Amino acid sequence: MTRVLLKLSGEQLGGSDGGFDVERASWIAEEIKKTKQIAKEKGEKVEIAIIVGGGNFLRGGNLVENDTRIERDTADNAGMLATIMNAILLRDVFDSLGVPVWVFSKLAVSRVVEEMTHWRAKQKLADGKVVIIGGGTGNPWVTTDSGAVNLALELDCDLVLKATKVDGVYDSDPTKNPDARKIDHLSYEDAINAQGIRIMDKAALGAAGDAKLPIIVFELLKPGNIIAAIDGAVGTRIA
């Protein structure tokens, strides 16, 4: 059995004008459904937890940068609420496609979604449900990257899958430099010290390194890439 934590940014769930893109979310749900089916056909079991960002609705950091009248705590709380919006919308999409799903929040909003405990979440994963978590860490001043690593450790995940727009980590921005070179493997130390490469924040990489939790950075919007990332066949592995 392999248990993975998939980190989805809000931008990956949003349309060209922001908001929530139901078609994009449906495509992701179908890919996850296929991933679990392929594993089953191979006689294996894959348990998938998803932590979602909220940048398609609101980025708390941008509020603080653009207007000093907004306090950081307030901005971060607003950003966490945006992630809960994505989580419950994603739940309905998964449910409509027949993918067993359960949603938790790290931020207490009990009339909307159940507050997460690690025991309940692991129980739902073991029952075969895809578990979606909103609310970040439930605390301000913590990035979504750190939230993803912390959650993966809390749920005893074997692997973190960081979904991106490109097929791994490059030595420079491949959208700007046609000669950018893809890096297949990185140590935690090299990932932390890499100059000019934005992978995850240093606190998240440090926590993953301390726990020896592998991270796969991979391209999300390519058919079959989720199962391929779990198998180590695509992306960049940080370990």
Side-chain angles (χ1 to χ4, degrees), residues 32-82:
I32 289 174
K33 185 177 183 179
K34 292 174 189 175
T35 295
K36 292 177 76 71
Q37 183 60 39
I38 290 169
K40 184 178 180 180
E41 290 169 358
K42 292 162 61 177
E44 301 169 359
K45 183 181 181 182
V46 172
E47 296 177 358
I48 300 175
I50 302 172
I51 185 170
V52 291
N56 51 320
F57 290 120
L58 181 146
R59 296 184 67 88
N62 288 350
L63 281 179
V64 177
E65 289 174 7
N66 296 331
D67 196 325
T68 56
R69 292 172 296 182
I70 304 295
E71 293 186 5
R72 172 67 185 269
D73 293 61
T74 303
D76 283 356
N77 284 329
M80 287 187 283
L81 290 171

Side-chain angles (χ1 to χ4, degrees), residues 136-207:
T137 64
N139 297 296
W141 295 89
V142 181
T143 66
T144 309
D145 285 343
S146 289
V149 171
N150 291 345
L151 182 63
L153 295 174
E154 189 176 3
L155 296 180
D156 297 326
C157 292
D158 303 295
L159 188 66
V160 172
L161 302 179
K162 179 178 168 64
T164 66
K165 297 178 182 178
V166 294
D167 60 339
V169 177
Y170 284 75
D171 60 1
S172 61
D173 189 343
T175 64
K176 298 177 180 178
N177 179 12
D179 297 320
R181 181 178 61 87
K182 180 173 176 285
I183 303 169
D184 292 326
H185 302 279
L186 271 173
S187 68
Y188 300 109
E189 184 178 0
D190 287 343
I192 290 170
N193 295 325
Q195 299 296 316
I197 303 175
R198 178 68 168 87
I199 303 169
M200 298 178 89
D201 70 64
K202 292 184 179 182
L205 289 168

